[in-house]
Amino acid sequence: MLTRVVFNQKGGVGKSSITINLAAISAQQGLRTLVIDLDPQANSSQYLLGEDATYSADKAALEPNIENFFEDILGATQQKSLIGNALGSILKVPRGKGLDSYVHRTSFANLDVIPASPSLGTLEHALESKHKIYKLRDSIQSLSARYDRIFIDTPPAFNFFTLSALIAADRVLIPFDCDVFSKRALQTLIENVIETQDDHNDRLEIEGIVVNQYQSQAKLPREVVQQLKDDGLPVLESMLPPSVLMKESHQKNLPLIHLASEHKLTLAYVTLFNEIESKQ
């Protein structure tokens, strides 16, 4: 089993899109794949589960979810319930169950998800104060017989949940869009990853920087990417071009490989997936 975390402290760089589309390709290629959504915005959850995982002021979060997992760790209320199947039975999540108790199957073969919750952040202080930073790692290790690949989507911040993901992961992918502000933020991000390696997870590797929205005909993106390479940063050769197809993919809750398998953006994702897999 290989666990990847997709992380950037800067928002709007395509974390969720990269997470889901790589996971969907992984599953389509026959690898048993799980997505864990740690971002309260729940974009990855909605991408895979559709309206069931769309939150609003008058709609409760889909359960069981990753917040329930962390509540369970804290010994919080264990009596939350949800409709478990079409017959309307009630599914309880008892204290002490493994991480697999929070998994939802998607409509795509070999692809499961543990959805996010918009109120996940309310648990952060309690989790930190009780030193629960290794619990996600320990629980993920118990899934090794069930999954070949795990992808973790993270919030755009270096917080308890992101650190938990980095501690649990074997590899980290860093989405990057070609602007000066993103370049400036990279150094801080990499320092955080290296500190995590030193203090918590010596097997963690930076798998590469994923250049997103790359316009090969424009001068500035080419210059910025070359600067990253000149600085010795691990820029992946497979870069993702901009395309309106991504918005359509979001609207239809369909990963690109299932929406338009021969489109140039889909093929760029397949090339990217093959590149990172070839390094294993």
Side-chain angles (χ1 to χ4, degrees):
M1 183 181 74
L2 183 71
T3 300
R4 292 184 172 100
V5 57
V6 182
F7 168 54
N8 194 319
Q9 294 163 204
K10 184 177 183 293
V13 294
K15 279 190 308 81
S16 298
S17 296
I18 290 169
T19 300
I20 294 307
N21 282 288
L22 289 178
I25 292 166
S26 171
Q28 193 260 353
Q29 292 193 8
L31 296 169
R32 299 167 300 170
T33 304
L34 172 68
V35 172
I36 301 175
D37 192 354
L38 288 177
D39 188 350
Q41 296 179 79
N43 291 329
S44 286
S45 303
Q46 182 176 343
Y47 208 158
L48 288 178
L49 297 173
E51 292 302 314
D52 287 342
T54 303
Y55 308 133
S56 61
D58 58 348
K59 182 179 178 182
L62 178 68
E63 295 189 347
N65 57 48
I66 197 64
E67 182 181 9
N68 301 142
F69 165 75
F70 284 112
E71 286 177 332
D72 190 38
I73 286 172
L74 290 170
T77 303
Q78 302 302 315
Q79 298 304 314
K80 290 188 176 181
S81 60
L82 69 155
I83 300 300
N85 55 38
L87 297 177
S89 64
I90 300 297
L91 172 62
K92 303 284 186 180
V93 183
R95 184 177 180 181
K97 282 292 188 79
L99 191 59
D100 56 350
S101 298
Y102 306 89
V103 168
H104 293 249
R105 291 181 178 238
T106 73
S107 59
F108 310 106
N110 298 319
L111 186 54
D112 296 341
V113 60
I114 299 178
S117 165
S119 54
L120 177 61
T122 61
L123 299 179
E124 185 170 5
H125 176 70
L127 289 163
E128 287 177 333
S129 64
K130 293 189 177 182
H131 309 290
K132 302 298 185 181
I133 198 68
Y134 297 103
K135 292 298 186 180
L136 182 63
R137 178 200 65 185
D138 296 343
S139 296
I140 282 178
Q141 288 174 349
S142 71
L143 299 177
S144 60
R146 180 168 176 177
Y147 294 105
D148 303 304
R149 297 291 182 270
I150 295 178
F151 289 82
I152 308 176
D153 192 10
T154 55
F158 189 64
N159 59 17
F160 173 89
F161 301 106
T162 304
L163 181 57
S164 292
L166 291 170
I167 290 171
D170 304 296
R171 308 283 188 273
V172 55
L173 290 169
I174 303 171
F176 176 82
D177 55 4
C178 295
D179 66 43
V180 175
F181 296 112
S182 292
K183 183 175 180 292
R184 291 172 183 168
L186 263 184
Q187 186 60 43
T188 300
L189 187 157
I190 291 173
E191 288 172 358
N192 286 333
V193 172
I194 292 172
E195 183 177 3
T196 303
Q197 289 172 322
D198 291 341
D199 294 346
H200 303 286
N201 182 5
D202 59 7
R203 76 181 189 283
L204 179 65
E205 296 179 13
I206 297 177
E207 191 161 39
I209 295 169
V210 180
V211 179
N212 194 23
Q213 301 289 325
Y214 181 65
Q215 297 175 300
S216 59
Q217 304 305 313
K219 181 180 179 182
L220 180 60
R222 294 200 311 269
E223 289 179 345
V224 171
V225 169
Q226 188 58 51
Q227 288 169 7
L228 297 182
K229 292 180 177 180
D230 291 344
D231 290 341
L233 297 177
V235 179
L236 293 165
E237 291 301 318
S238 307
M239 302 183 191
L240 304 173
S243 173
V244 295
L245 185 70
M246 185 58 76
K247 290 185 178 179
E248 183 181 349
S249 174
H250 293 164
Q251 290 171 349
K252 294 183 176 180
N253 300 315
L254 271 178
L256 294 167
I257 196 68
H258 299 290
L259 176 63
S261 62
E262 298 301 318
H263 190 275
K264 67 175 183 178
L265 180 57
T266 308
L267 296 176
Y269 266 101
V270 172
T271 301
L272 173 61
F273 180 79
N274 291 337
E275 180 181 354
I276 59 178
E277 283 292 307
S278 70
K279 298 180 179 182
Q280 307 314 316

